[in-house]
Amino acid sequence: MAFVITSACIDEKAGECQEVCPVDCIEEGKDMYYIDPDICIDCGACEAVCPVDAIFMEDEVPESEHDYIALNRRFFEENEG
């Protein structure tokens, strides 16, 4: 299970999440930040500092935001290497 960044991050990109991540699993994209689910250690540090409440544990992502689970994973698959 990993944390997921959802739509509230779009165009917000505050960045506190990336600063506190102990395993550097958060990367900045064009419009928002993304969490690599293969690296995330579920510590919750990012969720605690997000000023717009855009970060959720994967199984707690609101139903209306479920597309962001795949979007976070796809960001890293498309940007490998």
Side-chain angles (χ1 to χ4, degrees):
M1 192 83 45
F3 279 87
V4 176
I5 298 178
T6 60
S7 66
C9 184
I10 295 175
D11 294 327
E12 174 63 35
K13 292 178 28 172
E16 287 95 332
C17 58
Q18 189 178 40
E19 294 171 13
V20 300
C21 181
V23 294
D24 296 325
C25 71
I26 301 174
E27 289 190 23
E28 185 175 0
K30 180 181 177 197
D31 299 324
M32 61 180 280
Y33 283 93
Y34 298 89
I35 296 176
D36 188 331
D38 294 330
I39 298 175
C40 179
I41 60 170
D42 309 328
C43 70
C46 59
E47 180 184 35
V49 299
C50 181
V52 294
D53 298 322
I55 303 173
F56 297 87
M57 180 63 92
E58 186 174 335
D59 63 354
E60 296 176 3
V61 172
E63 191 170 330
S64 62
E65 300 281 321
H66 275 198
D67 289 348
Y68 286 87
I69 297 169
L71 186 64
N72 277 260
R73 183 172 295 281
R74 190 166 50 249
F75 176 82
F76 291 94
E77 289 171 353
E78 293 174 355
N79 291 298
E80 286 181 348

Coordinates of all heavy atoms in Angstrom, one line a residue:
M1 N 0.8 -1.2 0.0 CA 0.0 0.0 0.0 C 0.9 1.2 0.0 O 1.9 1.3 0.7 CB -0.9 0.0 1.3 CG -2.0 1.0 1.3 SD -3.5 0.5 0.4 CE -3.7 -1.2 0.9
A2 N 0.5 2.2 -0.8 CA 1.3 3.5 -0.8 C 0.4 4.7 -0.7 O -0.8 4.6 -0.7 CB 2.0 3.5 -2.2
F3 N 1.0 5.8 -0.5 CA 0.2 7.0 -0.5 C 0.0 7.5 -1.9 O 0.8 7.2 -2.8 CB 0.9 8.1 0.4 CG 0.7 7.9 1.9 CD1 1.5 7.1 2.6 CD2 -0.4 8.6 2.5 CE1 1.2 6.9 4.0 CE2 -0.7 8.4 3.8 CZ 0.2 7.5 4.6
V4 N -1.0 8.3 -2.1 CA -1.4 8.7 -3.5 C -1.7 10.2 -3.4 O -2.4 10.7 -2.5 CB -2.7 8.0 -4.0 CG1 -3.1 8.5 -5.3 CG2 -2.4 6.5 -4.1
I5 N -1.2 11.0 -4.4 CA -1.5 12.4 -4.5 C -2.6 12.6 -5.4 O -2.6 12.0 -6.5 CB -0.2 13.2 -4.9 CG1 0.9 13.0 -3.9 CG2 -0.6 14.7 -5.1 CD1 2.2 13.7 -4.3
T6 N -3.6 13.4 -5.0 CA -4.8 13.5 -5.8 C -5.0 14.9 -6.4 O -4.1 15.7 -6.3 CB -6.0 13.2 -4.9 OG1 -6.1 14.0 -3.8 CG2 -6.0 11.7 -4.4
S7 N -6.1 15.2 -7.0 CA -6.4 16.4 -7.7 C -6.2 17.7 -7.0 O -5.9 18.7 -7.7 CB -7.8 16.4 -8.3 OG -8.8 16.5 -7.3
A8 N -6.3 17.7 -5.7 CA -6.1 19.0 -5.0 C -4.7 19.6 -5.2 O -4.4 20.7 -5.0 CB -6.3 18.8 -3.5
C9 N -3.7 18.7 -5.6 CA -2.3 19.1 -5.9 C -2.2 19.9 -7.2 O -1.2 20.6 -7.4 CB -1.4 17.9 -5.8 SG 0.3 18.4 -6.0
I10 N -3.1 19.6 -8.1 CA -3.0 20.2 -9.4 C -2.8 21.7 -9.3 O -3.7 22.4 -8.7 CB -4.1 19.8 -10.4 CG1 -4.1 18.3 -10.6 CG2 -4.1 20.6 -11.7 CD1 -5.3 17.8 -11.4
D11 N -1.8 22.2 -9.9 CA -1.5 23.7 -10.0 C -1.1 24.3 -8.6 O -0.8 25.4 -8.5 CB -2.6 24.5 -10.7 CG -2.7 24.1 -12.1 OD1 -1.7 23.8 -12.8 OD2 -3.8 24.2 -12.7
E12 N -1.2 23.5 -7.5 CA -0.9 23.9 -6.2 C 0.7 23.7 -6.0 O 1.4 24.7 -5.7 CB -1.6 23.1 -5.1 CG -1.2 23.4 -3.7 CD -1.4 24.9 -3.3 OE1 -2.4 25.5 -3.7 OE2 -0.6 25.4 -2.5
K13 N 1.1 22.5 -6.1 CA 2.5 22.1 -6.0 C 3.3 22.8 -4.9 O 4.3 23.4 -5.2 CB 3.1 22.3 -7.4 CG 2.6 21.3 -8.4 CD 3.1 21.5 -9.8 CE 4.5 22.0 -10.0 NZ 4.9 21.9 -11.4
A14 N 2.8 22.7 -3.7 CA 3.4 23.4 -2.6 C 4.8 22.8 -2.3 O 5.7 23.6 -2.0 CB 2.6 23.3 -1.3
G15 N 5.0 21.5 -2.4 CA 6.3 20.9 -2.3 C 6.8 20.4 -0.9 O 7.8 19.8 -0.8
E16 N 6.0 20.7 0.1 CA 6.4 20.3 1.4 C 6.5 18.7 1.5 O 7.4 18.2 2.1 CB 5.4 20.7 2.5 CG 5.5 22.2 2.8 CD 4.5 23.0 2.0 OE1 4.1 22.6 0.9 OE2 4.1 24.1 2.5
C17 N 5.6 18.1 0.7 CA 5.7 16.6 0.7 C 7.0 16.1 0.2 O 7.6 15.1 0.8 CB 4.5 16.1 -0.2 SG 4.6 16.6 -1.9
Q18 N 7.5 16.6 -0.8 CA 8.8 16.2 -1.4 C 9.9 16.5 -0.4 O 10.9 15.7 -0.2 CB 9.1 16.9 -2.7 CG 10.3 16.3 -3.4 CD 10.5 17.0 -4.8 OE1 10.3 18.2 -4.9 NE2 10.8 16.2 -5.8
E19 N 9.9 17.6 0.3 CA 10.9 17.9 1.3 C 11.0 17.0 2.5 O 12.1 16.8 3.0 CB 10.7 19.4 1.8 CG 10.8 20.4 0.7 CD 10.4 21.8 1.2 OE1 10.2 22.0 2.4 OE2 10.2 22.7 0.3
V20 N 9.9 16.4 2.9 CA 9.9 15.6 4.1 C 10.0 14.1 3.8 O 10.2 13.3 4.7 CB 8.7 15.8 5.0 CG1 8.6 17.3 5.5 CG2 7.4 15.4 4.3
C21 N 9.9 13.7 2.6 CA 9.9 12.3 2.2 C 11.3 11.7 2.5 O 12.3 12.1 1.9 CB 9.6 12.1 0.8 SG 9.6 10.3 0.3
P22 N 11.4 10.7 3.4 CA 12.7 10.1 3.8 C 13.3 9.2 2.7 O 14.4 8.8 2.8 CB 12.4 9.3 5.1 CG 10.9 8.9 4.9 CD 10.3 10.1 4.2
V23 N 12.5 8.8 1.7 CA 13.0 7.8 0.7 C 12.9 8.4 -0.7 O 13.2 7.7 -1.7 CB 12.2 6.5 0.7 CG1 12.5 5.7 2.0 CG2 10.7 6.7 0.5
D24 N 12.7 9.7 -0.8 CA 12.7 10.4 -2.1 C 11.8 9.8 -3.1 O 12.2 9.6 -4.3 CB 14.1 10.6 -2.6 CG 15.0 11.5 -1.7 OD1 14.4 12.4 -1.2 OD2 16.2 11.2 -1.6
C25 N 10.6 9.4 -2.8 CA 9.7 8.7 -3.7 C 8.7 9.7 -4.4 O 7.9 9.3 -5.2 CB 8.9 7.6 -3.0 SG 7.7 8.2 -1.9
I26 N 8.8 11.0 -4.1 CA 7.9 12.0 -4.6 C 8.7 12.8 -5.7 O 9.7 13.4 -5.4 CB 7.4 12.9 -3.5 CG1 6.6 12.0 -2.5 CG2 6.4 14.0 -4.1 CD1 6.2 12.8 -1.3
E27 N 8.0 12.9 -6.9 CA 8.7 13.7 -7.9 C 7.7 14.7 -8.5 O 6.5 14.5 -8.5 CB 9.1 12.8 -9.1 CG 10.3 11.9 -8.7 CD 10.9 11.2 -9.9 OE1 10.7 11.6 -11.1 OE2 11.5 10.2 -9.7
E28 N 8.2 15.8 -8.9 CA 7.4 16.9 -9.5 C 7.1 16.6 -10.9 O 8.0 16.4 -11.7 CB 8.1 18.2 -9.3 CG 7.3 19.4 -9.7 CD 8.0 20.7 -9.5 OE1 9.1 20.7 -8.9 OE2 7.4 21.8 -9.8
G29 N 5.8 16.7 -11.3 CA 5.4 16.6 -12.7 C 5.1 18.0 -13.2 O 5.3 19.0 -12.5
K30 N 4.5 18.1 -14.3 CA 4.2 19.4 -14.9 C 3.1 20.1 -14.1 O 3.3 21.3 -13.9 CB 3.6 19.2 -16.3 CG 3.2 20.4 -17.1 CD 2.7 20.2 -18.4 CE 2.3 21.5 -19.1 NZ 1.4 21.3 -20.2
D31 N 2.1 19.5 -13.7 CA 1.0 20.1 -13.0 C 0.8 19.8 -11.5 O 0.1 20.4 -10.8 CB -0.3 19.8 -13.7 CG -0.4 20.3 -15.1 OD1 0.2 21.4 -15.4 OD2 -1.0 19.6 -15.9
M32 N 1.5 18.7 -11.1 CA 1.4 18.2 -9.7 C 2.5 17.3 -9.3 O 3.4 17.0 -10.2 CB 0.0 17.5 -9.5 CG -0.1 16.2 -10.4 SD -1.6 15.3 -10.2 CE -1.3 14.4 -8.7
Y33 N 2.6 16.9 -8.1 CA 3.6 16.0 -7.6 C 3.0 14.6 -7.7 O 1.8 14.4 -7.7 CB 4.0 16.2 -6.1 CG 4.9 17.4 -6.0 CD1 4.4 18.7 -5.8 CD2 6.3 17.2 -6.1 CE1 5.3 19.8 -5.7 CE2 7.1 18.3 -6.0 CZ 6.6 19.6 -5.7 OH 7.5 20.6 -5.6
Y34 N 3.9 13.6 -7.7 CA 3.5 12.2 -7.8 C 4.3 11.3 -6.8 O 5.5 11.6 -6.6 CB 3.7 11.6 -9.2 CG 3.0 12.3 -10.3 CD1 3.5 13.5 -10.9 CD2 1.7 11.9 -10.7 CE1 2.7 14.1 -11.9 CE2 1.0 12.5 -11.6 CZ 1.5 13.7 -12.2 OH 0.7 14.3 -13.2
I35 N 3.7 10.3 -6.3 CA 4.4 9.4 -5.4 C 4.6 8.0 -6.1 O 3.6 7.4 -6.6 CB 3.5 9.2 -4.1 CG1 3.4 10.5 -3.3 CG2 4.2 8.1 -3.2 CD1 2.5 10.4 -2.1
D36 N 5.8 7.6 -6.1 CA 6.2 6.3 -6.7 C 5.7 5.2 -5.7 O 6.3 5.0 -4.6 CB 7.7 6.2 -6.9 CG 8.1 4.9 -7.7 OD1 7.3 3.9 -7.6 OD2 9.1 5.0 -8.4
P37 N 4.7 4.4 -6.1 CA 4.2 3.4 -5.1 C 5.1 2.3 -4.9 O 5.0 1.5 -3.9 CB 2.9 2.9 -5.9 CG 3.2 3.2 -7.3 CD 4.0 4.4 -7.3
D38 N 6.1 2.1 -5.7 CA 7.1 1.0 -5.5 C 8.2 1.4 -4.5 O 8.9 0.6 -4.0 CB 7.7 0.6 -6.8 CG 6.7 0.0 -7.8 OD1 5.8 -0.7 -7.3 OD2 6.9 0.1 -9.0
I39 N 8.3 2.7 -4.2 CA 9.4 3.2 -3.3 C 8.8 3.7 -2.0 O 9.4 3.6 -1.0 CB 10.2 4.3 -4.0 CG1 10.9 3.8 -5.2 CG2 11.2 4.9 -3.0 CD1 11.6 4.9 -6.0
C40 N 7.5 4.1 -2.0 CA 6.9 4.7 -0.8 C 6.9 3.6 0.3 O 6.6 2.5 0.1 CB 5.4 5.0 -1.2 SG 4.5 5.7 0.2
I41 N 7.3 4.1 1.5 CA 7.3 3.2 2.7 C 6.1 3.4 3.6 O 6.2 3.0 4.8 CB 8.7 3.3 3.4 CG1 8.8 4.8 3.9 CG2 9.8 2.9 2.5 CD1 10.0 5.0 4.9
D42 N 5.1 4.2 3.2 CA 3.9 4.4 4.0 C 4.2 5.0 5.3 O 3.5 4.8 6.3 CB 3.2 3.0 4.2 CG 3.0 2.3 2.9 OD1 2.8 2.9 1.9 OD2 2.9 1.0 3.0
C43 N 5.1 5.9 5.4 CA 5.4 6.6 6.7 C 4.4 7.7 7.0 O 4.3 8.0 8.2 CB 6.8 7.1 6.7 SG 7.1 8.6 5.6
G44 N 3.8 8.3 6.0 CA 2.8 9.3 6.3 C 3.3 10.7 6.5 O 2.6 11.6 6.7
A45 N 4.6 10.9 6.3 CA 5.2 12.2 6.5 C 4.6 13.2 5.5 O 4.3 14.4 5.8 CB 6.7 12.2 6.4
C46 N 4.4 12.8 4.3 CA 3.9 13.6 3.2 C 2.5 14.1 3.5 O 2.1 15.2 3.3 CB 4.0 13.0 1.9 SG 3.1 11.4 1.7
E47 N 1.7 13.1 3.9 CA 0.3 13.4 4.2 C 0.2 14.5 5.3 O -0.7 15.4 5.2 CB -0.4 12.1 4.6 CG -1.9 12.3 4.9 CD -2.6 11.1 5.4 OE1 -1.9 10.3 6.1 OE2 -3.8 10.9 5.1
A48 N 1.0 14.4 6.3 CA 0.9 15.3 7.5 C 1.2 16.7 7.1 O 0.7 17.7 7.7 CB 1.9 14.8 8.6
V49 N 2.0 17.0 6.1 CA 2.5 18.3 5.7 C 1.8 18.9 4.5 O 1.9 20.1 4.2 CB 4.0 18.4 5.5 CG1 4.7 18.0 6.8 CG2 4.4 17.6 4.3
C50 N 0.9 18.2 3.9 CA 0.3 18.7 2.6 C -0.7 19.8 3.0 O -1.7 19.5 3.7 CB -0.4 17.5 1.9 SG -1.3 18.1 0.4
P51 N -0.5 21.0 2.5 CA -1.4 22.1 2.9 C -2.8 22.1 2.3 O -3.7 22.8 2.7 CB -0.6 23.3 2.5 CG 0.2 22.9 1.3 CD 0.6 21.4 1.7
V52 N -2.9 21.2 1.3 CA -4.2 21.2 0.6 C -4.9 19.8 0.7 O -5.9 19.5 0.0 CB -4.1 21.6 -0.9 CG1 -3.7 23.0 -1.1 CG2 -3.1 20.6 -1.7
D53 N -4.4 19.0 1.6 CA -5.0 17.7 1.9 C -5.2 16.9 0.6 O -6.3 16.3 0.4 CB -6.4 17.8 2.6 CG -6.2 18.5 4.0 OD1 -5.2 18.2 4.6 OD2 -7.1 19.3 4.4
A54 N -4.2 16.8 -0.2 CA -4.2 16.1 -1.5 C -3.7 14.7 -1.4 O -3.8 13.9 -2.4 CB -3.4 16.8 -2.6
I55 N -3.2 14.3 -0.2 CA -2.5 13.0 -0.1 C -3.3 12.0 0.8 O -3.7 12.4 1.9 CB -1.1 13.2 0.4 CG1 -0.3 14.1 -0.5 CG2 -0.3 11.8 0.6 CD1 1.1 14.5 0.0
F56 N -3.5 10.8 0.2 CA -4.3 9.8 1.0 C -3.5 8.5 0.9 O -2.9 8.2 -0.1 CB -5.6 9.6 0.3 CG -6.5 10.8 0.3 CD1 -6.4 11.8 -0.7 CD2 -7.4 11.0 1.4 CE1 -7.3 12.9 -0.7 CE2 -8.3 12.1 1.4 CZ -8.2 13.0 0.4
M57 N -3.8 7.6 1.9 CA -3.3 6.3 1.8 C -4.2 5.6 0.7 O -5.3 6.0 0.5 CB -3.6 5.5 3.2 CG -3.2 4.1 3.2 SD -1.4 3.8 2.9 CE -0.8 3.8 4.6
E58 N -3.6 4.8 -0.1 CA -4.2 4.2 -1.3 C -5.7 3.7 -1.0 O -6.6 4.0 -1.8 CB -3.4 3.1 -1.9 CG -3.9 2.6 -3.2 CD -3.0 1.6 -3.9 OE1 -1.8 1.7 -3.6 OE2 -3.5 0.8 -4.6
D59 N -5.8 3.0 0.1 CA -7.2 2.4 0.3 C -8.1 3.5 1.0 O -9.3 3.1 1.2 CB -7.1 1.2 1.2 CG -6.5 1.4 2.6 OD1 -6.0 2.5 2.9 OD2 -6.5 0.5 3.4
E60 N -7.7 4.7 1.1 CA -8.5 5.8 1.7 C -8.8 6.9 0.6 O -9.4 7.9 1.0 CB -7.9 6.3 2.9 CG -7.9 5.3 4.1 CD -7.2 5.9 5.3 OE1 -6.8 7.0 5.3 OE2 -7.0 5.1 6.2
V61 N -8.3 6.7 -0.6 CA -8.5 7.7 -1.6 C -10.0 7.8 -1.9 O -10.7 6.7 -2.1 CB -7.8 7.3 -3.0 CG1 -8.2 8.2 -4.1 CG2 -6.3 7.3 -2.7
P62 N -10.6 9.0 -1.9 CA -12.0 9.1 -2.2 C -12.4 8.5 -3.5 O -11.6 8.6 -4.5 CB -12.3 10.6 -2.2 CG -11.2 11.2 -1.4 CD -10.0 10.3 -1.6
E63 N -13.6 7.9 -3.6 CA -14.0 7.2 -4.9 C -13.8 8.2 -6.1 O -13.4 7.7 -7.1 CB -15.4 6.7 -4.7 CG -15.8 5.8 -5.9 CD -17.1 5.1 -5.6 OE1 -17.5 4.9 -4.4 OE2 -17.8 4.8 -6.6
S64 N -14.2 9.4 -5.9 CA -14.1 10.4 -7.0 C -12.7 10.6 -7.5 O -12.4 11.2 -8.6 CB -14.8 11.7 -6.7 OG -14.1 12.3 -5.6
E65 N -11.7 10.2 -6.7 CA -10.3 10.4 -7.0 C -9.5 9.1 -7.4 O -8.3 9.2 -7.5 CB -9.6 11.1 -5.8 CG -10.2 12.4 -5.4 CD -9.7 13.6 -6.2 OE1 -8.6 13.6 -6.6 OE2 -10.6 14.5 -6.5
H66 N -10.2 8.1 -7.5 CA -9.6 6.8 -7.8 C -8.7 6.7 -9.0 O -7.7 6.0 -9.1 CB -10.6 5.6 -7.8 CG -10.9 5.1 -6.5 ND1 -11.6 3.9 -6.3 CD2 -10.7 5.6 -5.2 CE1 -11.7 3.6 -5.0 NE2 -11.2 4.7 -4.4
D67 N -9.0 7.6 -10.0 CA -8.1 7.6 -11.2 C -6.7 8.0 -10.8 O -5.7 7.7 -11.6 CB -8.7 8.6 -12.2 CG -9.9 8.1 -12.9 OD1 -10.3 6.9 -12.7 OD2 -10.6 8.9 -13.6
Y68 N -6.5 8.7 -9.7 CA -5.2 9.2 -9.4 C -4.3 8.1 -8.8 O -3.0 8.2 -8.9 CB -5.3 10.4 -8.4 CG -5.7 11.6 -9.1 CD1 -7.1 11.9 -9.3 CD2 -4.8 12.5 -9.6 CE1 -7.5 13.0 -10.0 CE2 -5.2 13.6 -10.3 CZ -6.5 13.9 -10.5 OH -6.9 15.0 -11.2
I69 N -4.9 7.0 -8.4 CA -4.1 5.8 -8.0 C -3.2 5.4 -9.2 O -2.0 5.2 -9.2 CB -4.9 4.7 -7.5 CG1 -5.7 5.2 -6.2 CG2 -4.1 3.5 -7.2 CD1 -6.7 4.2 -5.7
A70 N -3.9 5.1 -10.4 CA -3.3 4.7 -11.6 C -2.4 5.8 -12.2 O -1.3 5.5 -12.7 CB -4.3 4.3 -12.6
L71 N -2.8 7.0 -12.0 CA -2.1 8.2 -12.6 C -0.7 8.3 -11.9 O 0.3 8.5 -12.6 CB -2.8 9.5 -12.4 CG -2.3 10.7 -13.0 CD1 -2.2 10.6 -14.6 CD2 -3.1 11.9 -12.6
N72 N -0.6 8.1 -10.6 CA 0.7 8.2 -9.9 C 1.6 7.0 -10.4 O 2.7 7.3 -10.7 CB 0.5 8.1 -8.4 CG 0.1 9.4 -7.7 OD1 1.0 10.1 -7.2 ND2 -1.1 9.8 -7.9
R73 N 1.1 5.8 -10.5 CA 1.9 4.7 -11.0 C 2.3 4.9 -12.4 O 3.5 4.7 -12.7 CB 1.1 3.4 -10.9 CG 1.9 2.2 -11.3 CD 1.2 0.9 -11.0 NE 1.0 0.7 -9.5 CZ 1.9 0.2 -8.7 NH1 3.1 0.0 -9.1 NH2 1.6 0.0 -7.4
R74 N 1.4 5.4 -13.2 CA 1.7 5.6 -14.7 C 2.8 6.6 -14.9 O 3.7 6.5 -15.7 CB 0.5 5.9 -15.4 CG 0.7 5.9 -16.9 CD -0.7 5.9 -17.7 NE -1.6 7.0 -17.3 CZ -2.7 6.8 -16.7 NH1 -3.1 5.5 -16.4 NH2 -3.5 7.8 -16.3
F75 N 2.8 7.7 -14.0 CA 3.8 8.7 -14.1 C 5.2 8.1 -14.0 O 6.1 8.5 -14.8 CB 3.6 9.8 -13.0 CG 4.7 10.8 -13.0 CD1 4.6 11.9 -13.8 CD2 5.8 10.7 -12.1 CE1 5.6 12.9 -13.8 CE2 6.8 11.7 -12.1 CZ 6.7 12.7 -13.0
F76 N 5.4 7.2 -13.1 CA 6.8 6.6 -13.0 C 7.1 5.5 -14.0 O 8.2 5.4 -14.4 CB 6.9 6.0 -11.6 CG 7.0 7.1 -10.5 CD1 5.8 7.5 -9.9 CD2 8.1 7.8 -10.3 CE1 5.8 8.6 -9.0 CE2 8.2 8.8 -9.4 CZ 7.0 9.2 -8.7
E77 N 6.1 4.8 -14.5 CA 6.3 3.9 -15.6 C 6.7 4.6 -16.9 O 7.5 4.1 -17.6 CB 5.0 3.1 -15.8 CG 4.7 2.1 -14.7 CD 3.4 1.4 -14.8 OE1 2.5 1.8 -15.7 OE2 3.1 0.5 -14.0
E78 N 6.1 5.7 -17.1 CA 6.4 6.5 -18.4 C 7.7 7.3 -18.3 O 8.2 7.7 -19.3 CB 5.2 7.5 -18.7 CG 3.9 6.7 -19.0 CD 2.7 7.6 -19.2 OE1 2.9 8.9 -18.9 OE2 1.7 7.1 -19.6
N79 N 8.1 7.5 -17.1 CA 9.4 8.3 -16.9 C 10.6 7.5 -16.4 O 11.5 8.1 -15.9 CB 9.1 9.5 -15.9 CG 8.1 10.5 -16.5 OD1 8.4 11.1 -17.5 ND2 6.9 10.6 -15.9
E80 N 10.5 6.2 -16.6 CA 11.7 5.4 -16.2 C 12.8 5.6 -17.2 O 12.6 5.9 -18.4 CB 11.3 3.9 -16.3 CG 10.4 3.4 -15.2 CD 10.1 1.9 -15.3 OE1 10.4 1.3 -16.3 OE2 9.6 1.4 -14.3
G81 N 14.0 5.5 -16.6 CA 15.2 5.6 -17.4 C 15.4 6.9 -18.0 O 15.8 7.7 -18.5

